[in-house]
Amino acid sequence: MGELIEEWATQIAKAELSNALPRRWAHTQGVAKRAVEVSQILDQDAGLIVAAATLHDVGYAPRLATTGFHPLDGARFLRDEHRADERLVRLVANHSFALLEAEERGLREKLASEFPLLERPLLVEALVYCDMTTTPDGDPTTAQDRVAEILSRYGDDSVVGRFIRRAAPEICASVERVEAAVAAQPR
């Protein structure tokens, strides 16, 4: 994997999001930029993290939103329409603690059985870092501010609000571990 998968991912995400959901497209571009910044900690998976960051929210595209749960819709789209790499599909399906939100939606078993979580924690956490340190407009932010922004947008008692409150400690811990791994890299 490498530049080819990154270019392919950009083409797919742009086609699905740029016109229909321009703000989501801006967020996606910011998340992809973050992925490039942390890719050095992932060696052979550098291209994979950039592609996953680029495609993580593709399931929000109106034509793909069949269940209303974007990680599941995006992963199915990538698997079924594009025959995408299994690890890429599983990253998209499980990004940013999606299993916790799936549980709130009654979809946990479906998500877990269809798209098992990858067993490479740093890769999974790198995608959490990229998503949860990027604003909806694509700008860098802190995980704490991102969680607060999500809560303010969706409300405490919404499905997303309940999920994000449950996931916040894990999100912050993941972000800290990725930041430590990046800081430990030789310069």
Side-chain angles (χ1 to χ4, degrees):
M1 279 189 214
E3 285 185 33
L4 288 179
I5 194 167
E6 293 171 31
E7 290 174 19
W8 170 82
T10 300
Q11 290 173 356
I12 299 296
K14 184 177 183 180
E16 297 297 337
L17 298 173
S18 65
N19 291 328
L21 300 168
R23 191 171 191 213
R24 185 67 56 187
W25 175 235
H27 169 72
T28 295
Q29 291 174 292
V31 174
K33 184 177 178 184
R34 287 291 230 192
V36 170
E37 294 169 4
V38 301
S39 64
Q40 78 273 9
I41 66 172
L42 296 168
D43 302 320
Q44 75 275 8
D45 288 330
L48 178 59
I49 190 62
V50 175
T54 303
L55 291 165
H56 82 286
D57 276 353
V58 73
Y60 276 115
R63 79 174 191 92
L64 307 180
T66 56
T67 69
F69 183 45
H70 77 278
L72 184 57
D73 293 336
R76 286 177 171 169
F77 162 72
L78 293 170
R79 178 194 65 199
D80 299 344
E81 286 192 34
H82 292 282
R83 304 288 185 246
D85 176 88
E86 180 188 358
R87 294 185 323 140
L88 172 64
V89 172
R90 288 168 62 186
L91 279 168
V92 168
N94 288 287
H95 76 272
S96 301
F97 297 96
L99 278 174
L100 292 177
E101 185 174 346
E103 188 174 299
E104 291 287 334
R105 295 175 179 274
L107 295 169
R108 183 182 176 101
E109 291 307 314
K110 187 171 296 244
L111 182 65
S113 64
E114 226 175 298
F115 303 105
L117 190 62
L118 285 178
E119 294 181 14
R120 180 138 191 247
L122 188 57
L123 181 59
V124 173
E125 290 186 327
L127 187 53
V128 172
Y129 169 86
C130 296
D131 185 22
M132 299 308 295
T133 63
T134 304
T135 69
D137 297 311
D139 298 317
T141 190
T142 66
Q144 294 83 358
D145 286 348
R146 177 80 162 115
V147 167
E149 180 277 320
I150 292 168
L151 277 170
S152 72
R153 191 164 23 117
Y154 288 94
D156 283 343
D157 295 326
S158 68
V159 168
V160 175
R162 290 190 306 272
F163 147 70
I164 204 70
R165 280 187 285 116
R166 285 179 59 204
E170 295 299 325
I171 289 167
C172 292
S174 289
V175 167
E176 288 175 10
R177 285 189 289 270
V178 171
E179 288 173 341
V182 169
Q185 288 292 303
R187 296 186 187 249

